[in-house]
Amino acid sequence: MPFLFGVARRPELPGPALIRLLGDLGLTPAAARALLLRMRQEGKLASLRHGRGAAYRLAGEYGRRFDRIRAGGRPPAPEWPGAFHAVLYQVPESRRAFRDALRRAAVQAGYGLLQPGVLVALDDRTEHLPLADAPPGALLLVTRLPLDEPDAARAARVVWDLDTLAGTFAAHAGALRAALDALAGPPAPGAETLRRYAALLRTPMVDTLSSPRLPAALFPPGWPLPALWAQIQAVQEVFGGPAARYVDELLGTSAVPPTTTLPPTP
């Protein structure tokens, strides 16, 4: 969904056009409507009325992340602060549900598992963790783990499985480069170009979100994420213009006037 809003280069898309574009990407009309409904229920889309029709905007934290990416790109790498923020936990097996929920919330917040019972992050992100819901018998300790930079780099390699990520990013970069080299000519505006554009970038873009935001010195030598971003940009330069022209043509018959007031979103 963010891909379509990005190609359209506008914050709001009319429902019929959005369903048509989702169809171009392989969804049936029924599946597209079900996706819109589910995303509305999850707070990821806001619905706006325009007479007898409806339009949609990305909403909530989902929309805010999209806006930050469009506005500022990737933030600069931080400096090594000299210590990891750490959460130490010991939870009885009878309270396994809480332990699993804690781990899920921690991973989503950017923590990694150094070893069983030890979560680390570059900074304090406990506001995103259900620490207040700890059951009786659980031990939770919030602390700092001081390390010199070489030891921190070794720890980061394990915590975030950086070697596996490096292999994934290098493979994506190679595949994108090969796809561009295989082009017989510039792609023409149309649904096929939109599909190809989405197919090339969907998985690589999602996988880049797996990379932790760490000081450059904590990544392994030859970290391939910058090379992957370069290939993503190259794909955007080749496919972005034709895909955007196709979407503009489609929206020419489906565009709706801008809305100044949005309903509250989660």
Side-chain angles (χ1 to χ4, degrees), residues 83-159:
F84 284 117
H85 169 79
V87 176
L88 314 182
Y89 65 91
Q90 190 175 64
V91 180
E93 184 63 25
S94 61
R95 303 293 185 174
R96 182 173 55 192
F98 170 78
R99 183 188 63 201
D100 294 344
L102 175 64
R103 287 176 179 169
R104 284 194 301 271
V107 170
Q108 291 173 359
Y111 285 88
L113 190 68
L114 179 60
Q115 64 181 51
V118 181
L119 296 162
V120 297
L122 199 64
D123 48 26
D124 187 347
R125 303 175 188 184
T126 50
E127 63 181 293
H128 303 292
L129 304 183
L131 301 184
D133 300 332
L139 175 64
L140 298 173
L141 300 174
V142 178
T143 186
R144 285 168 53 83
L145 182 61
L147 292 171
D148 61 25
E149 201 169 77
D151 284 342
R154 284 193 288 272
R157 204 162 184 160
V158 172
V159 168

Side-chain angles (χ1 to χ4, degrees), residues 4 13 39 115 152 159 166 179 204 219 232:
L4 292 176
L13 291 175
M39 292 186 69
Q115 64 181 51
V159 168
F219 288 109
I232 288 173

Side-chain angles (χ1 to χ4, degrees), residues 2-263:
F3 168 79
L4 292 176
F5 279 87
V7 174
R9 300 162 299 167
R10 60 189 73 191
E12 181 180 323
L13 291 175
L18 193 50
I19 291 173
R20 164 68 183 276
L21 290 170
L22 289 169
D24 287 340
L25 298 184
L27 272 66
T28 66
R33 292 188 183 93
L35 176 63
L36 296 180
L37 176 60
R38 183 171 69 252
M39 292 186 69
R40 286 180 58 196
Q41 293 172 338
E42 294 172 350
K44 296 177 179 179
L45 279 181
S47 175
L48 306 106
R49 300 302 303 179
H50 291 286
R52 301 173 68 178
Y56 296 89
R57 283 185 180 235
L58 297 176
E61 181 59 26
Y62 194 73
R64 287 188 288 272
R65 287 179 62 187
F66 175 74
D67 289 341
R68 285 196 297 270
I69 291 171
R70 293 192 67 189
R74 299 177 298 282
E79 297 293 329
W80 171 237
F84 284 117
H85 169 79
V87 176
L88 314 182
Y89 65 91
Q90 190 175 64
V91 180
E93 184 63 25
S94 61
R95 303 293 185 174
R96 182 173 55 192
F98 170 78
R99 183 188 63 201
D100 294 344
L102 175 64
R103 287 176 179 169
R104 284 194 301 271
V107 170
Q108 291 173 359
Y111 285 88
L113 190 68
L114 179 60
Q115 64 181 51
V118 181
L119 296 162
V120 297
L122 199 64
D123 48 26
D124 187 347
R125 303 175 188 184
T126 50
E127 63 181 293
H128 303 292
L129 304 183
L131 301 184
D133 300 332
L139 175 64
L140 298 173
L141 300 174
V142 178
T143 186
R144 285 168 53 83
L145 182 61
L147 292 171
D148 61 25
E149 201 169 77
D151 284 342
R154 284 193 288 272
R157 204 162 184 160
V158 172
V159 168
W160 288 284
D161 197 7
L162 297 183
D163 289 335
T164 298
L165 282 179
T168 298
F169 295 157
H172 284 322
L176 294 182
R177 185 166 53 250
L180 292 176
D181 290 343
L183 286 175
E192 178 57 34
T193 291
L194 184 70
R195 279 192 295 274
R196 182 60 173 154
Y197 189 22
L200 285 172
L201 291 191
R202 182 184 298 116
T203 301
M205 290 290 287
V206 170
D207 283 347
T208 62
L209 298 176
S210 301
S211 178
R213 185 168 174 264
L214 297 172
L218 267 57
F219 288 109
W223 182 241
L225 184 56
L228 174 55
W229 278 118
Q231 291 303 317
I232 288 173
Q233 183 175 358
V235 170
Q236 291 171 333
E237 290 172 354
V238 171
F239 285 87
R245 287 194 294 274
Y246 167 69
V247 173
D248 285 343
E249 292 172 4
L250 188 149
L251 291 174
T253 59
S254 306
V256 295
T259 300
T260 56
T261 302
L262 288 176

